[in-house]
Protein backbone atom coordinates (compact mmCIF):
# COMPACT_ATOMS: atom_id res chain seq x y z
CA UNK A 1 0.00 0.00 0.00
CA UNK A 2 1.35 3.41 -0.93
CA UNK A 3 1.60 6.03 1.80
CA UNK A 4 -0.56 8.32 -0.34
CA UNK A 5 -3.64 6.64 1.13
CA UNK A 6 -2.66 7.81 4.63
CA UNK A 7 -2.78 11.48 3.62
CA UNK A 8 -5.76 13.52 4.82
CA UNK A 9 -6.73 15.40 1.68
CA UNK A 10 -8.67 17.92 3.75
CA UNK A 11 -5.51 19.10 5.52
CA UNK A 12 -3.02 19.37 2.70
CA UNK A 13 -0.23 21.93 2.71
CA UNK A 14 -1.15 24.35 -0.05
CA UNK A 15 2.47 25.15 -0.83
CA UNK A 16 5.44 22.81 -0.41
CA UNK A 17 8.95 24.17 -0.96
CA UNK A 18 11.96 21.90 -1.34
CA UNK A 19 15.71 22.35 -0.93
CA UNK A 20 16.95 19.52 -3.15
CA UNK A 21 20.29 18.65 -1.61
CA UNK A 22 22.68 15.72 -1.80
CA UNK A 23 23.13 15.13 -5.54
CA UNK A 24 26.89 15.48 -5.30
CA UNK A 25 27.25 13.17 -2.29
CA UNK A 26 24.92 10.63 -3.90
CA UNK A 27 27.26 10.54 -6.92
CA UNK A 28 30.45 10.47 -4.84
CA UNK A 29 29.21 7.45 -2.89
CA UNK A 30 28.95 5.63 -6.21
CA UNK A 31 32.25 6.90 -7.63
CA UNK A 32 30.35 8.89 -10.23
CA UNK A 33 30.90 12.49 -11.26
CA UNK A 34 28.76 15.15 -9.57
CA UNK A 35 26.86 15.83 -12.79
CA UNK A 36 25.64 12.24 -12.72
CA UNK A 37 24.09 13.06 -9.35
CA UNK A 38 22.27 16.00 -10.92
CA UNK A 39 21.02 13.73 -13.74
CA UNK A 40 19.51 11.41 -11.13
CA UNK A 41 18.22 14.49 -9.32
CA UNK A 42 16.18 15.40 -12.39
CA UNK A 43 14.46 12.00 -12.22
CA UNK A 44 13.48 12.82 -8.65
CA UNK A 45 12.15 16.22 -9.78
CA UNK A 46 9.88 14.35 -12.16
CA UNK A 47 8.70 11.87 -9.53
CA UNK A 48 8.03 14.53 -6.88
CA UNK A 49 6.19 16.75 -9.36
CA UNK A 50 4.01 13.76 -10.28
CA UNK A 51 3.16 12.84 -6.69
CA UNK A 52 2.57 16.47 -5.65
CA UNK A 53 0.16 16.83 -8.54
CA UNK A 54 -1.54 13.51 -7.74
CA UNK A 55 -2.00 14.44 -4.06
CA UNK A 56 -3.48 17.80 -5.01
CA UNK A 57 -0.78 20.17 -3.77
CA UNK A 58 -1.35 23.62 -5.29
CA UNK A 59 2.22 25.01 -5.30
CA UNK A 60 5.57 23.19 -5.41
CA UNK A 61 8.69 25.37 -5.29
CA UNK A 62 12.02 23.68 -6.01
CA UNK A 63 15.38 25.30 -5.20
CA UNK A 64 17.13 24.30 -8.42
CA UNK A 65 20.03 26.78 -8.49
CA UNK A 66 21.04 29.32 -5.88
CA UNK A 67 22.84 32.62 -6.39
CA UNK A 68 25.77 31.02 -4.53
CA UNK A 69 25.79 28.09 -7.00
CA UNK A 70 27.29 30.45 -9.63
CA UNK A 71 30.54 30.03 -7.65
CA UNK A 72 30.75 26.31 -8.42
CA UNK A 73 33.28 25.08 -11.03
CA UNK A 74 32.30 26.29 -14.50
CA UNK A 75 31.91 22.73 -15.84
CA UNK A 76 29.35 21.95 -13.14
CA UNK A 77 27.43 25.18 -13.70
CA UNK A 78 27.38 24.55 -17.48
CA UNK A 79 26.29 20.94 -16.95
CA UNK A 80 23.46 22.04 -14.63
CA UNK A 81 22.21 24.68 -17.07
CA UNK A 82 22.22 22.15 -19.92
CA UNK A 83 20.52 19.57 -17.79
CA UNK A 84 17.75 21.92 -16.71
CA UNK A 85 17.12 22.90 -20.34
CA UNK A 86 17.11 19.31 -21.58
CA UNK A 87 14.78 18.25 -18.76
CA UNK A 88 12.37 21.12 -19.35
CA UNK A 89 12.33 20.47 -23.10
CA UNK A 90 11.67 16.77 -22.52
CA UNK A 91 9.05 17.24 -19.80
CA UNK A 92 6.96 20.07 -21.26
CA UNK A 93 4.45 17.75 -23.03
CA UNK A 94 3.93 15.78 -19.80
CA UNK A 95 3.57 18.97 -17.77
CA UNK A 96 0.80 20.03 -20.16
CA UNK A 97 -0.80 16.56 -20.05
CA UNK A 98 -0.83 16.71 -16.25
CA UNK A 99 -2.16 20.31 -16.20
CA UNK A 100 1.01 21.60 -14.46
CA UNK A 101 2.09 25.19 -15.07
CA UNK A 102 5.72 26.26 -14.75
CA UNK A 103 7.05 29.53 -13.43
CA UNK A 104 10.40 30.68 -12.08
CA UNK A 105 11.70 33.01 -9.42
CA UNK A 106 15.21 34.42 -9.13
CA UNK A 107 17.74 36.62 -10.84
CA UNK A 108 17.19 34.82 -14.13
CA UNK A 109 18.92 37.57 -16.13
CA UNK A 110 22.16 36.00 -14.96
CA UNK A 111 21.31 32.75 -16.73
CA UNK A 112 22.65 32.02 -20.22
CA UNK A 113 20.20 33.22 -22.89
CA UNK A 114 19.52 29.71 -24.24
CA UNK A 115 18.47 28.46 -20.80
CA UNK A 116 16.32 31.47 -19.89
CA UNK A 117 14.63 31.47 -23.30
CA UNK A 118 13.86 27.76 -23.18
CA UNK A 119 12.40 28.08 -19.70
CA UNK A 120 10.32 31.07 -20.82
CA UNK A 121 8.95 28.99 -23.68
CA UNK A 122 7.87 26.25 -21.28
CA UNK A 123 6.30 28.89 -18.99
CA UNK A 124 4.37 30.21 -22.00
CA UNK A 125 3.37 26.73 -23.20
CA UNK A 126 2.04 25.71 -19.77
CA UNK A 127 0.44 29.04 -18.85
CA UNK A 128 -3.08 27.71 -19.50
CA UNK A 129 -2.65 24.80 -17.07
CA UNK A 130 -4.76 25.09 -13.94
CA UNK A 131 -3.43 22.27 -11.75
CA UNK A 132 -0.19 22.18 -9.77
CA UNK A 133 1.94 25.31 -10.03
CA UNK A 134 5.57 24.23 -10.31
CA UNK A 135 7.93 27.06 -9.41
CA UNK A 136 11.66 26.74 -10.07
CA UNK A 137 13.93 28.93 -7.97
CA UNK A 138 16.81 29.63 -10.34
CA UNK A 139 19.70 31.95 -9.59
CA UNK A 140 17.68 32.65 -6.47
CA UNK A 141 18.68 33.81 -3.04
CA UNK A 142 16.45 35.25 -0.40
CA UNK A 143 18.79 38.09 0.53
CA UNK A 144 19.02 39.14 -3.13
CA UNK A 145 15.22 39.13 -3.27
CA UNK A 146 14.81 41.11 -0.03
CA UNK A 147 17.42 43.71 -1.07
CA UNK A 148 15.55 44.13 -4.36
CA UNK A 149 12.27 44.58 -2.53
CA UNK A 150 13.82 47.22 -0.27
CA UNK A 151 15.17 49.09 -3.31
CA UNK A 152 11.72 49.13 -4.97
CA UNK A 153 10.02 50.35 -1.79
CA UNK A 154 12.73 53.01 -1.31
CA UNK A 155 12.23 54.26 -4.89
CA UNK A 156 8.48 54.54 -4.28
CA UNK A 157 9.12 56.44 -1.04
CA UNK A 158 11.66 58.81 -2.62
CA UNK A 159 9.24 59.55 -5.45
CA UNK A 160 6.47 60.21 -2.93
CA UNK A 161 4.36 57.39 -4.37
CA UNK A 162 3.91 55.93 -0.90
CA UNK A 163 3.73 57.21 2.66
CA UNK A 164 6.49 55.55 4.72
CA UNK A 165 4.05 54.99 7.58
CA UNK A 166 1.87 52.89 5.30
CA UNK A 167 4.64 50.33 4.67
CA UNK A 168 3.59 47.02 6.21
CA UNK A 169 4.16 43.29 5.67
CA UNK A 170 1.89 43.24 2.65
CA UNK A 171 3.92 46.05 1.03
CA UNK A 172 7.03 43.88 1.35
CA UNK A 173 5.17 40.76 0.14
CA UNK A 174 4.10 42.65 -2.95
CA UNK A 175 7.72 43.44 -3.90
CA UNK A 176 9.01 39.88 -3.57
CA UNK A 177 9.34 37.50 -6.52
CA UNK A 178 6.75 35.33 -4.78
CA UNK A 179 3.97 37.93 -4.77
CA UNK A 180 0.64 36.18 -5.50
CA UNK A 181 2.09 32.90 -4.21
CA UNK A 182 1.00 31.86 -0.70
CA UNK A 183 3.81 31.32 1.82
CA UNK A 184 5.05 27.71 1.99
CA UNK A 185 3.25 25.63 4.61
CA UNK A 186 5.96 23.01 4.50
CA UNK A 187 9.67 23.27 3.68
CA UNK A 188 11.48 20.00 3.00
CA UNK A 189 15.27 19.72 2.87
CA UNK A 190 16.95 16.52 1.75
CA UNK A 191 20.62 15.58 2.18
CA UNK A 192 21.01 15.70 5.96
CA UNK A 193 21.90 19.34 6.57
CA UNK A 194 19.70 21.28 8.96
CA UNK A 195 19.73 24.80 7.54
CA UNK A 196 17.71 26.97 5.18
CA UNK A 197 20.54 28.25 2.94
CA UNK A 198 19.16 31.63 1.88
CA UNK A 199 15.88 30.14 0.60
CA UNK A 200 12.57 31.99 1.00
CA UNK A 201 13.66 33.47 4.35
CA UNK A 202 10.81 35.97 4.54
CA UNK A 203 8.21 33.49 3.29
CA UNK A 204 9.03 30.60 5.67
CA UNK A 205 8.37 32.61 8.84
CA UNK A 206 5.62 30.16 9.84
CA UNK A 207 6.42 27.16 7.64
CA UNK A 208 6.82 23.72 9.12
CA UNK A 209 10.37 22.50 8.49
CA UNK A 210 11.11 18.88 7.57
CA UNK A 211 14.66 17.56 7.25
CA UNK A 212 15.65 14.13 5.96
CA UNK A 213 19.02 12.42 5.58
CA UNK A 214 18.02 10.97 2.22
CA UNK A 215 19.99 12.39 -0.69
CA UNK A 216 17.76 14.04 -3.28
CA UNK A 217 18.24 11.29 -5.93
CA UNK A 218 17.04 8.73 -3.33
CA UNK A 219 14.04 10.78 -2.22
CA UNK A 220 10.96 8.82 -3.31
CA UNK A 221 7.26 9.48 -3.75
CA UNK A 222 6.69 7.64 -0.46
CA UNK A 223 9.27 9.89 1.24
CA UNK A 224 7.33 12.91 -0.01
CA UNK A 225 4.08 11.41 1.34
CA UNK A 226 5.82 10.75 4.66
CA UNK A 227 6.76 14.43 4.88
CA UNK A 228 3.13 15.42 4.23
CA UNK A 229 1.89 12.95 6.87
CA UNK A 230 4.41 14.36 9.35
CA UNK A 231 3.20 17.88 8.50
CA UNK A 232 -0.37 16.78 9.22
CA UNK A 233 0.64 15.58 12.68
CA UNK A 234 1.85 19.03 13.69
CA UNK A 235 -0.15 21.70 15.44
CA UNK A 236 0.34 25.04 13.73
CA UNK A 237 -0.30 27.74 16.29
CA UNK A 238 0.98 30.87 14.50
CA UNK A 239 1.89 32.35 17.88
CA UNK A 240 -1.47 31.51 19.50
CA UNK A 241 -2.16 28.95 22.24
CA UNK A 242 -3.34 25.38 21.59
CA UNK A 243 -6.72 26.23 23.12
CA UNK A 244 -7.19 29.11 20.70
CA UNK A 245 -6.40 26.82 17.76
CA UNK A 246 -8.89 24.12 18.79
CA UNK A 247 -11.80 26.63 19.03
C1 LIG B 1 22.15 20.22 -4.57
O1 LIG B 1 22.96 19.10 -4.54
C2 LIG B 1 21.48 20.34 -5.85
C3 LIG B 1 21.67 21.35 -6.73
C4 LIG B 1 22.55 22.47 -6.50
C5 LIG B 1 20.98 21.37 -8.01
C6 LIG B 1 19.67 20.69 -8.04
C7 LIG B 1 19.23 20.64 -9.43
C8 LIG B 1 18.59 19.61 -9.99
C9 LIG B 1 18.19 18.39 -9.27
C10 LIG B 1 18.21 19.73 -11.39
C11 LIG B 1 16.94 20.48 -11.45
C12 LIG B 1 16.31 20.31 -12.74
C13 LIG B 1 15.09 20.77 -13.01
C14 LIG B 1 14.49 20.47 -14.32
C15 LIG B 1 14.34 21.56 -12.04
P1 LIG B 1 24.50 19.34 -4.30
O2 LIG B 1 25.19 19.35 -5.60
O3 LIG B 1 24.71 20.54 -3.46
O4 LIG B 1 24.85 18.04 -3.49
P2 LIG B 1 25.93 17.91 -2.34
O5 LIG B 1 25.45 18.76 -1.21
O6 LIG B 1 25.86 16.46 -2.02
O7 LIG B 1 27.25 18.33 -2.92
Amino acid sequence: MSLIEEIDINRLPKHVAVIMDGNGRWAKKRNLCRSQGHVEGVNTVRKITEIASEIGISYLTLYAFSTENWNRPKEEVDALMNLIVIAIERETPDLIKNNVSLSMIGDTNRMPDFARERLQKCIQDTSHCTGLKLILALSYSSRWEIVNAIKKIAINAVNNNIDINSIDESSVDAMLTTNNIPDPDLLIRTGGDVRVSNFLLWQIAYSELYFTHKFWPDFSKDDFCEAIIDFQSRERRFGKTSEQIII
Side-chain angles (χ1 to χ4, degrees):
M1 188 178 100
S2 155
L3 282 180
I4 195 169
E5 288 159 42
E6 291 181 29
I7 293 174
D8 177 353
I9 54 154
N10 297 310
R11 293 176 54 235
L12 288 178
K14 198 168 184 179
H15 182 176
V16 179
V18 187
I19 300 176
M20 311 181 285
D21 199 16
N23 293 348
R25 281 165 289 160
W26 181 93
K28 197 171 171 195
K29 229 172 90 177
R30 289 162 179 77
N31 280 327
L32 300 168
C33 63
R34 293 180 55 83
S35 296
Q36 201 54 42
H38 297 313
V39 170
E40 279 303 315
V42 171
N43 292 335
T44 306
V45 168
R46 188 193 158 91
K47 279 187 261 178
I48 298 310
T49 305
E50 272 171 11
I51 189 76
S53 168
E54 193 180 336
I55 293 171
I57 304 291
S58 303
Y59 297 86
L60 176 68
T61 301
L62 303 178
Y63 204 3
F65 195 89
S66 71
T67 306
E68 292 74 23
N69 288 155
W70 289 117
N71 299 322
R72 290 195 174 192
K74 187 177 176 320
E75 313 81 71
E76 184 172 344
V77 170
D78 289 349
L80 260 172
M81 289 297 141
N82 281 316
L83 192 62
I84 290 169
V85 166
I86 290 167
I88 288 300
E89 213 154 72
R90 191 183 57 212
E91 301 298 337
T92 301
D94 273 359
L95 291 176
I96 295 169
K97 206 164 74 198
N98 290 301
N99 202 20
V100 177
S101 68
L102 183 80
S103 59
M104 53 187 177
I105 56 172
D107 189 4
T108 49
N109 285 331
R110 284 186 72 177
M111 296 179 70
D113 291 348
F114 78 95
R116 194 182 47 259
E117 284 162 15
R118 191 61 194 81
L119 282 153
Q120 273 161 351
K121 177 158 176 12
C122 179
I123 290 169
Q124 182 77 42
D125 292 347
T126 60
S127 60
H128 63 285
C129 296
T130 55
L132 173 71
K133 294 180 185 352
L134 173 64
I135 302 151
L136 296 184
L138 287 161
S139 187
Y140 174 88
S141 87
S142 207
R143 288 184 175 182
W144 161 82
E145 177 183 45
I146 291 170
V147 167
N148 256 357
I150 292 170
K151 281 184 193 160
K152 288 183 205 162
I153 293 171
I155 289 169
N156 281 337
V158 166
N159 294 334
N160 283 327
N161 292 331
I162 50 163
D163 169 8
I164 287 181
N165 291 316
S166 74
I167 297 172
D168 59 10
E169 290 186 12
S170 67
S171 332
V172 179
D173 272 334
M175 296 302 174
L176 298 175
T177 58
T178 49
N179 74 86
N180 296 324
I181 300 173
D183 288 343
D185 302 292
L186 171 63
L187 170 70
I188 299 172
R189 180 177 187 137
T190 64
D193 289 324
V194 184
R195 53 178 172 254
V196 290
S197 300
N198 215 349
F199 188 45
L200 301 174
L201 300 181
W202 171 275
Q203 298 88 338
I204 60 170
Y206 279 100
S207 305
E208 295 299 324
L209 308 183
Y210 182 90
F211 297 97
T212 166
H213 278 92
K214 288 245 172 126
F215 294 142
W216 178 248
D218 290 329
F219 192 69
S220 65
K221 289 185 175 185
D222 264 357
D223 292 326
F224 186 79
C225 292
E226 209 166 294
I228 306 284
I229 292 164
D230 186 88
F231 166 84
Q232 294 186 329
S233 74
R234 301 188 192 185
E235 181 187 65
R236 303 185 77 197
R237 291 191 295 279
F238 300 96
K240 295 183 180 173
T241 66
S242 285
E243 290 71 24
Q244 287 174 301
I245 300 300
I246 291 161
I247 289 166

